[in-house]
């Protein structure tokens, strides 16, 4: 598809949808937990959440059939995770911990990604969710000191705690998506209100607020991208519009996402008149306002 994009007109206010990171976890907990917890969320939801919902429906139908027939020679279900790495990795941990027989599948690209051996926190989150649902202490799960995306592990623990102590939970807004509009406001010099974000959230990407301040206060920045991998693309854009140079490092694992998220931002920036270079585990960007081009 070809589309010409002119300078956009920013609105004064944006309302972000619910966090898929939060909702994945809540829906899985709700589906398998012995206690009843009402989980609510705002529409619309993306394809990854739809994949999780369909997989949970398939598992429920399978478990209902097992219960009604009271025998175990029913074929194990196949769960189509589509292109959602979260769905695959979370459900792998949960079904293993609960001893539920099933086959996990998805797109060719997804299978390549989950079998690549690239470091991710999602397998560990699946283990934490499964441990809780099996009635065991989640503190028994060992978290490596050098764990990438550790903020997502903290988020998982926080959601389990809230789920365990509440009868109803509403999925909060997505800081990863909110970051897009916060950065848009920052580089345009306009005040942009972003609503449906919780200041007390355990979502790691809430760090975008502090990072925007960092860009305004200093011209030389070194940022550990492993702490907030989902922010790396939009931080790259922010770096292009900021004075000085920015190095985002410790991001080799981003080369194994749906796309190579080290090369993709650099290529986009360079094609639009900016200046970005990459290494094995970093991207360096020189502040140079983008002038336009073809991407």
């Amino acid at each position: 598809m070809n589309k010409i994009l002119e300078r956009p007109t920013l609105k004064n206010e944006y309302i972000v949808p619910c966090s898929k990171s939060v909702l994945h976890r809540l829906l899985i907990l709700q589906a398998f937990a012995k206690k009843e917890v009402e989980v609510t969320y705002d529409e619309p939801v993306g394809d990854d959440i739809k994949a999780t919902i369909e997989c949970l429906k398939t598992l429920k139908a399978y478990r209902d059939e097992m219960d009604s027939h009271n025998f175990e020679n029913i074929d194990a279900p196949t769960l189509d995770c589509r292109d959602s790495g979260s769905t695959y990795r979370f459900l792998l941990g949960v079904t293993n911990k609960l001893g539920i027989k099933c086959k996990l599948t998805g797109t060719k690209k997804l299978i390549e990604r989950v079998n690549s051996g690239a470091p991710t926190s999602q397998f560990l989150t699946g283990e934490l969710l499964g441990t809780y649902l099996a009635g065991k202490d989640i503190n028994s799960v060992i978290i490596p000191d050098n764990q990438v995306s550790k903020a997502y592990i903290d988020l998982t623990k926080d959601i389990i705690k809230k789920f365990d102590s509440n009868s109803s939970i509403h999925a909060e807004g997505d800081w990863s998506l909110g970051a897009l509009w916060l950065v848009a406001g920052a580089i345009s010099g306009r005040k942009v209100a972003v609503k449906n974000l919780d200041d007390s959230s355990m979502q790691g990407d809430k760090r975008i607020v502090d990072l925007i301040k960092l860009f305004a206060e200093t011209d030389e920045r070194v940022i550990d991208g492993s702490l907030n991998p989902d922010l790396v693309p939009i931080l790259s854009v922010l770096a292009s519009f900021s004075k000085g140079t920015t190095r985002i490092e410790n991001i080799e694992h981003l080369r194994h996402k749906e796309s190579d998220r080290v090369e993709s931002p650099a290529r986009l920036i360079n094609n639009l008149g900016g200046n970005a270079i990459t290494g094995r585990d970093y991207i360096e960007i020189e502040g140079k306002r983008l002038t336009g081009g073809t991407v």
Side-chain angles (χ1 to χ4, degrees), residues 9 41 52 75 79 104 117 122 125 191 194 197 201 204 228 293:
T9 300
Y41 54 92
T52 290
D75 291 338
L79 307 181
L104 295 169
Q122 292 180 345
T125 280
K191 290 184 178 180
V194 184
L197 294 176
S201 173
N228 304 93

Side-chain angles (χ1 to χ4, degrees), residues 162 172-173 175 195-203 206:
K162 289 178 179 176
E172 63 186 66
W175 273 96
K195 296 193 172 183
N196 200 30
L197 294 176
D198 184 356
D199 288 337
S200 64
S201 173
M202 288 293 292
Q203 292 180 57
K206 184 178 68 173

Side-chain angles (χ1 to χ4, degrees), residues 14-19 22 26 42 155 158-159 162 166 169-179 182 193-210:
Y14 291 92
I15 301 176
V16 299
C18 68
S19 165
V22 170
L26 286 176
D42 299 323
L155 176 66
D158 183 64
I159 290 173
K162 289 178 179 176
N166 288 277
I169 303 178
H170 185 76
E172 63 186 66
D174 194 321
W175 273 96
S176 304
L177 292 175
L182 291 171
V194 184
K195 296 193 172 183
N196 200 30
L197 294 176
D198 184 356
D199 288 337
S200 64
S201 173
M202 288 293 292
Q203 292 180 57
D205 287 352
K206 184 178 68 173
R207 184 179 175 224
I208 187 62
V209 175
D210 294 329

Side-chain angles (χ1 to χ4, degrees), residues 3-279:
K3 189 171 184 178
I4 297 175
L5 300 177
E6 304 291 349
R7 181 183 295 273
T9 300
L10 276 177
K11 296 190 294 185
N12 293 325
E13 177 181 299
Y14 291 92
I15 301 176
V16 299
C18 68
S19 165
K20 73 172 186 177
S21 297
V22 170
L23 191 52
H24 274 302
R25 290 160 170 80
L26 286 176
L27 291 173
I28 290 172
L29 288 170
Q30 182 190 45
F32 293 102
K34 294 179 180 178
K35 64 173 294 190
E36 290 189 7
V37 176
E38 180 185 22
V39 174
T40 57
Y41 54 92
D42 299 323
E43 297 282 0
V45 295
D47 289 342
D48 287 4
I49 291 296
K50 291 176 182 177
T52 290
I53 290 172
E54 289 304 313
C55 287
L56 294 176
K57 286 180 178 178
T58 299
L59 278 172
K60 183 180 185 306
Y62 169 70
R63 294 162 73 193
D64 288 347
E65 188 174 3
M66 290 283 291
D67 291 342
S68 63
H69 289 83
N70 198 29
F71 55 78
E72 297 184 0
N73 61 347
I74 301 173
D75 291 338
T78 297
L79 307 181
D80 185 1
C81 302
R82 303 184 192 178
D83 203 32
S84 174
S86 298
T87 304
Y88 188 102
R89 297 180 181 110
F90 293 173
L91 288 179
L92 179 66
V94 169
T95 54
N96 280 343
K97 284 288 184 180
L98 297 180
I100 299 173
K101 294 181 179 180
C102 63
K103 178 182 178 181
L104 295 169
T105 186
T107 64
K108 180 181 178 181
K109 181 68 174 178
L110 172 67
I111 301 305
E112 290 174 353
R113 283 163 46 209
V114 297
N115 291 329
S116 69
T120 174
S121 65
Q122 292 180 345
F123 287 118
L124 199 52
T125 280
E127 186 176 353
L128 285 166
L129 293 172
T131 298
Y132 167 77
L133 291 167
K136 298 179 181 179
D137 184 2
I138 63 171
N139 291 318
S140 65
V141 178
I142 298 174
I143 312 298
D145 292 336
N146 62 344
Q147 176 64 50
V148 298
S149 306
K150 189 174 180 298
Y152 285 102
I153 298 300
D154 296 335
L155 176 66
T156 301
K157 291 182 176 181
D158 183 64
I159 290 173
I160 289 173
K161 181 180 178 180
K162 289 178 179 176
F163 187 90
D164 195 50
S165 57
N166 288 277
S167 59
S168 64
I169 303 178
H170 185 76
E172 63 186 66
D174 194 321
W175 273 96
S176 304
L177 292 175
L180 305 181
W181 302 118
L182 291 171
V183 168
I187 64 179
S188 67
R190 288 188 50 188
K191 290 184 178 180
V192 176
V194 184
K195 296 193 172 183
N196 200 30
L197 294 176
D198 184 356
D199 288 337
S200 64
S201 173
M202 288 293 292
Q203 292 180 57
D205 287 352
K206 184 178 68 173
R207 184 179 175 224
I208 187 62
V209 175
D210 294 329
L211 289 172
I212 289 174
K213 292 178 181 177
L214 174 68
F215 274 84
E217 293 169 355
T218 179
D219 292 349
E220 300 294 327
R221 313 157 201 95
V222 178
I223 297 171
D224 185 350
S226 70
L227 300 176
N228 304 93
D230 288 343
L231 291 182
V232 170
I234 193 60
L235 285 177
S236 300
V237 174
L238 178 59
S240 294
F241 285 84
S242 302
K243 293 180 180 179
T245 58
T246 304
R247 178 185 174 96
I248 307 173
E249 57 187 20
N250 298 328
I251 54 174
E252 182 180 8
H253 61 295
L254 292 187
R255 292 187 177 278
H256 307 283
K257 295 287 188 178
E258 292 88 341
S259 63
D260 185 331
R261 293 187 190 169
V262 179
E263 296 299 333
S264 294
R267 185 164 54 247
L268 180 144
I269 288 167
N270 289 330
N271 286 351
L272 293 179
N275 187 5
I277 60 173
T278 62

